[in-house]
Structure formats: structure tokens, C-alpha cells
Amino acid sequence: MATILLVLAALSMTAATSATSTVKTKAKTVAAPKTVTTAKPAATAKPAATPKPAATAKSVTPVKSAVPAKSEVTPKTAPVPKTATASKPATTAKPGVTPKPTGTPKPAVAAKTMVATKTMPAPKTLATTASIPLPRYRVNDAFVFSDGRVERVVKVSRDEITWAGLTGSPYVRSRNFVLPVSNWSVGRGLGRRQFFGSAQDLWPVAKPRSVRFRVVAETKAKATSPWQREVSMWTCQSLKPRVVRIALGTYNTIPFTCDRYSATNMRPIERLEWDYAPELGHYVRRSAIQYLRGTRRTVDLVATLSGPAASKRRLQALSRSARRGELPMRWE
């Protein structure tokens, strides 16, 4: 019995110890969830990481303070220099540059035209008080006309000038240009003229006057052919001075006209007109009217050259530009 009691006591002891251990384990397990629950609110402390708004404060305070600093820079870029562009009124000083237009060549051109207008009365005084002699030429004087024709002096004698063009043979003409060519050749053909009358009485020109003369022209097709003769009557006159404006410039001129008539019936055949410019010593305009054909042809002087400048190459270039209608660049 005693052993049974002892066994029972031992069993009760073990039961008690197991109960206490279970209680302890329960307590431990209970404490564990408490620690778990308390840890979770500790995780809620993570919102305490809202110091990130503190970071916003950092962004606010320095940036805003930096912004006024930029605004302080703006006064440095102050529009004051822009107002210093009140130098733009200085650019209104460009009207101050307008004196340049006063110095522009246009007023100078106007001055030239004024000179031309002032010299307009000059030919009248020339016509009444001064006498204008026959033109004088020198070798290599050259004149280019608007149709491309070139007249160049190759020889000078007392009263006759030998001229040459860019092509063809030279020809001889009196210094009194109203007279037609006196000697010429075309291919194998030859021609010559003789003048009878008072043609030279037109010069020197002091006032308008007129003259009459007879022209006997002889031609032959070749050297062995007989001369063919033709006679014509001429009436020429000088007129009152006038101003002529051409592409080359404005000139005071003395007009000359000549009418050629048939010697048999005195029927008008042709009229020739010249505007002679004493300052150039040559005519600046020439017109030919053919009565039988009813045509009129006028050419203007577009270039004058002399000396070495009157090279054949330059004359050819001027002749081409004249035929194309490219009026002159004044070669003198």
C-alpha cells in the first residue's frame, strides 16, 4: 500500500509539474503575441518617418531663399541696360546718318543736271557772240554709236580725216561732217565724190546759216570698170543751239540738217540731221530720213575713247554691248 501511495504521489507531482510547464508555455506563448502586437505599433512608428515632410521643409527653405537670390540677380540684368538701349534713340541718330544722303551722289547728279540747265543758255551766247570752229581730231580718237558702228581716226590731214570701222576698208571724209564721204572702197569697188559750192561757209558757226552745194559722185564695180556718175543737190543749215540728253550724258549741241535732192527734178531724196557737241568735238546724235522709203533711223553716241584706250579689243566689246542695247559705261 505504501508503494501505491508513493506511486500516486509521484504521479501527482509529475502532473503538477506538467501543468506548470504548460502554464509557463501558455504564458510564454501569450507573451509572444503581446510582443508581436507591440512590435506592430512599433512598425507604425514608420509613419514617424514622416520627417520626409521635414525634407520638404528643406526643399522649401533653401529653394525659396535661392529664388529671391535670383530675383536679386535680375536687378543686375536690370532693364536699365535695356533702357541704356535708349541708345536706340542714338540709333535714331541714324537720321543723323541722313547727312550721308545729303552727301549721296544723287544730289551730285542733281548738281550735274543743274549745271546742264545752267549751261543751257550758254549755246545761245555761243550762237550770238562766239564762233565754233571745225572739229579737230587726233589719231586714235574713236566714237561708238548705239547701232554698234565704230568710227576711229587713223590719219589726219589738213582738211580731211581718214576713218576706219571694225571691218571694211578705211574711208576719207572732210572735217566738215555734213559733207558725205569723199573716198571709199567696198570689196573691189571704188567710189569718190567732188563738191562744188559753198559747203564750207557753215563754219565757223556763229549764228544759224544755210548753204547750197552740188555733189558729183562717181563709182565703179572694179578697177577695170568705167566710172558711173551721179549728181545731187544739197541744202544744209545750222540751227539754234539746244540741249540733247542721251545715255552718255547731257550736252549743249548745235543742230545741223542737210536735204539731198535729185539733180534732174529736185525731188527730195534724203534728210540728214546731226547734233554736234562742241565739248566733245563730235556729233552725239545722227538721224537719216529716207523720203522714198518713208523710214527714219537715229543713232546716239554711247562711248568716246582716245589714245591707247581705243584698242581694237575694247572697241569690239563696246560695239557688241551697244548692239545688245547695253548702254554705255562712259569710256573716255
Side-chain angles (χ1 to χ4, degrees):
M1 280 297 290
T3 56
I4 295 169
L5 290 172
L6 287 173
V7 172
L8 290 173
L11 290 173
S12 63
M13 289 291 289
T14 56
T17 53
S18 63
T20 54
S21 64
T22 54
V23 170
K24 287 180 181 180
T25 54
K26 286 180 182 180
K28 288 180 183 179
T29 55
V30 170
K34 287 180 181 176
T35 56
V36 170
T37 54
T38 54
K40 287 181 180 177
T44 57
K46 290 181 181 177
T50 56
K52 290 181 181 177
T56 57
K58 289 179 184 179
S59 61
V60 171
T61 52
V63 171
K64 289 182 179 178
S65 61
V67 171
K70 291 181 180 178
S71 63
E72 290 176 357
V73 175
T74 53
K76 293 180 182 179
T77 61
V80 176
K82 293 182 180 178
T83 56
T85 58
S87 60
K88 290 180 180 177
T91 57
T92 56
K94 290 180 180 176
V97 181
T98 53
K100 291 182 180 177
T102 58
T104 53
K106 292 182 180 177
V109 173
K112 290 181 181 177
T113 55
M114 288 177 65
V115 172
T117 55
K118 288 180 181 178
T119 56
M120 284 176 64
K124 294 181 181 179
T125 57
L126 279 173
T128 54
T129 62
S131 61
I132 299 172
L134 282 165
R136 294 184 179 274
Y137 300 100
R138 296 175 298 178
V139 174
N140 262 4
D141 285 350
F143 306 90
V144 184
F145 291 87
S146 54
D147 61 349
R149 178 181 174 84
V150 173
E151 298 176 351
R152 182 172 61 89
V153 177
V154 296
K155 184 181 177 181
V156 177
S157 64
R158 182 177 178 182
D159 293 322
E160 292 183 330
I161 309 296
T162 303
W163 298 85
L166 292 177
T167 59
S169 303
Y171 54 93
V172 180
R173 189 170 193 168
S174 171
R175 287 199 295 138
N176 182 7
F177 54 83
V178 301
L179 294 175
V181 174
S182 57
N183 283 281
W184 72 96
S185 63
V186 179
R188 292 183 298 172
L190 300 173
R192 64 190 182 189
R193 287 188 179 98
Q194 291 179 306
F195 309 102
F196 302 91
S198 58
Q200 298 297 343
D201 290 345
L202 280 176
W203 304 88
V205 178
K207 60 182 180 180
R209 66 177 70 179
S210 63
V211 296
R212 293 181 181 181
F213 54 93
R214 182 167 54 97
V215 177
V216 177
E218 294 179 317
T219 59
K220 59 182 178 179
K222 56 184 179 179
T224 57
S225 300
W227 290 99
Q228 302 293 323
R229 187 175 181 180
E230 181 183 2
V231 180
S232 59
M233 305 300 295
W234 288 62
T235 300
C236 297
Q237 60 181 340
S238 60
L239 305 174
K240 291 182 179 181
R242 64 184 178 187
V243 174
V244 172
R245 293 174 176 85
I246 59 174
L248 191 62
T250 301
Y251 298 96
N252 299 305
T253 67
I254 301 173
F256 291 86
T257 63
C258 287
D259 290 305
R260 179 165 67 95
Y261 300 89
S262 168
T264 56
N265 56 16
M266 291 302 293
R267 183 176 183 177
I269 300 172
E270 180 184 32
R271 165 169 281 196
L272 301 175
E273 300 174 351
W274 300 266
D275 283 291
Y276 174 72
E279 62 179 293
L280 290 181
H282 202 61
Y283 50 88
V284 296
R285 176 170 289 167
R286 182 180 183 273
S287 298
I289 302 170
Q290 300 291 333
Y291 290 120
L292 299 180
R293 298 176 184 175
T295 60
R296 179 187 183 99
R297 184 183 182 189
T298 300
V299 294
D300 290 345
L301 185 67
V302 297
T304 63
L305 301 88
S306 60
S311 64
K312 185 174 182 180
R313 183 177 180 180
R314 183 171 293 177
L315 290 172
Q316 288 173 338
L318 285 172
S319 176
R320 286 193 299 268
S321 65
R323 288 195 301 269
R324 290 194 298 263
E326 301 168 359
L327 291 178
M329 301 162 281
R330 189 149 191 154
W331 306 67
E332 291 188 12

